[in-house]
Amino acid sequence: NAGVTQTPKFRVLKTGQSMTLLCAQDMNHEYMYWYRQDPGMGLRLIHYSVGEGTTAKGEVPDGYNVSRLKKQNFLLGLESAAPSQTSVYFCASSYGGVTNEKLFFGSGTQLSVL
Amino acid sequence: GQQLNQSPQSMFIQEGEDVSMNCTSSSIFNTWLWYKQDPGEGPVLLIALYKAGELTSNGRLTAQFGITRKDSFLNISASIPSDVGIYFCAGQPHTGTASKLTFGTGTRLQVTL
């Protein structure tokens, strides 16, 4: 009954370091998303994917890259971390088609960039 | 990007009390969603609304899609300690456009015994 699994749960980076966050879903969902959550703000979409091998930019894509080589996995990369990227990151997935607004979220990754 | 305004930002209530919160937008939405986020976890979908005026319940939770299509409301009856968390609304402008979901800033609910 895993659903959406994110790793790692916590990470501390120094400015300029790189890292990759991994998201895995076992529900055979077509769509996957990466959001960031900052205090006092709603979730903001970074990138998303509507199927294996596809990616698209969301509202706040700058400084991030993504890849969806397998349907069940969606990776979020930071090439050169900046303090402004300190946030909680959530991965989500959904079915394709008309019910794709029903998102299933992972438990989040707390990232601090010093 | 657009943000949805949720009210109140936080509330402290006693166990057994009813709770009301709302979400307003400057734009029209075709779908309204309500999520709950427990501490240290990701949001979980509570209720989805698809028609103006629609009233939908999920146990002690009842949500309504405002008739102007620019607002939505969530009520919790007879609150219990496990209702603690942050409640988010989300709006979608067109069916099948989850990438266009806009999330509210959240209402933090604290329940005292």
Side-chain angles (χ1 to χ4, degrees):
Chain A
N1 218 22
V4 178
T5 303
Q6 290 182 234
T7 53
K9 193 139 178 86
F10 301 95
R11 189 72 190 267
V12 178
L13 291 178
K14 294 182 180 177
T15 299
Q17 286 185 319
S18 63
M19 74 161 294
T20 301
L21 303 182
L22 172 63
C23 177
Q25 54 94 4
D26 61 2
M27 296 173 283
N28 201 34
H29 284 169
E30 288 295 329
Y31 293 11
M32 296 187 75
Y33 314 81
W34 276 106
Y35 286 90
R36 60 178 289 171
Q37 183 178 45
D38 299 296
M41 302 188 76
L43 290 161
R44 293 183 293 167
L45 184 64
I46 304 170
H47 286 279
Y48 66 100
S49 167
V50 299
E52 181 179 316
T54 75
T55 63
K57 294 180 180 179
E59 180 187 352
V60 288
D62 293 343
Y64 306 95
N65 56 76
V66 289
S67 64
R68 184 123 181 248
L69 299 180
K70 293 183 178 180
K71 185 177 183 179
Q72 63 268 34
N73 295 336
F74 195 30
L75 278 64
L76 177 71
L78 285 71
E79 289 187 349
S80 179
S84 61
Q85 293 178 304
T86 293
S87 187
V88 180
Y89 291 85
F90 287 100
C91 176
S93 68
S94 67
Y95 295 102
V98 295
T99 60
N100 64 36
E101 75 281 354
K102 293 185 177 179
L103 303 183
F104 293 79
F105 285 88
S107 57
T109 296
Q110 173 86 56
L111 174 67
S112 296
V113 183
L114 306 177
Chain B
Q2 179 186 315
Q3 295 258 337
L4 298 180
N5 294 315
Q6 280 190 248
S7 179
Q9 284 189 330
S10 63
M11 49 196 320
F12 292 79
I13 62 167
Q14 287 196 321
E15 185 177 5
E17 287 185 352
D18 296 342
V19 174
S20 292
M21 61 188 77
N22 66 71
C23 191
T24 59
S25 167
S26 57
S27 301
I28 289 174
F29 289 119
N30 273 2
T31 302
W32 282 97
L33 305 152
W34 283 92
Y35 285 85
K36 183 195 177 197
Q37 184 176 18
D38 289 330
E41 298 295 328
V44 174
L45 181 65
L46 298 173
I47 294 176
L49 303 158
Y50 299 100
K51 282 175 62 173
E54 179 182 354
L55 196 68
T56 297
S57 293
N58 178 4
R60 293 178 296 105
L61 278 62
T62 301
Q64 184 165 23
F65 192 137
I67 58 173
T68 67
R69 308 182 84 94
K70 292 183 178 181
D71 52 12
S72 182
F73 310 88
L74 178 69
N75 294 315
I76 305 172
S77 62
S79 59
I80 59 178
S82 63
D83 290 334
V84 165
I86 305 176
Y87 292 80
F88 290 100
C89 62
Q92 181 177 260
H94 304 288
T95 303
T97 56
S99 62
K100 304 298 183 189
L101 270 175
T102 299
F103 283 84
T105 50
T107 293
R108 184 181 296 271
L109 180 63
Q110 306 263 44
V111 179
T112 58
L113 300 175

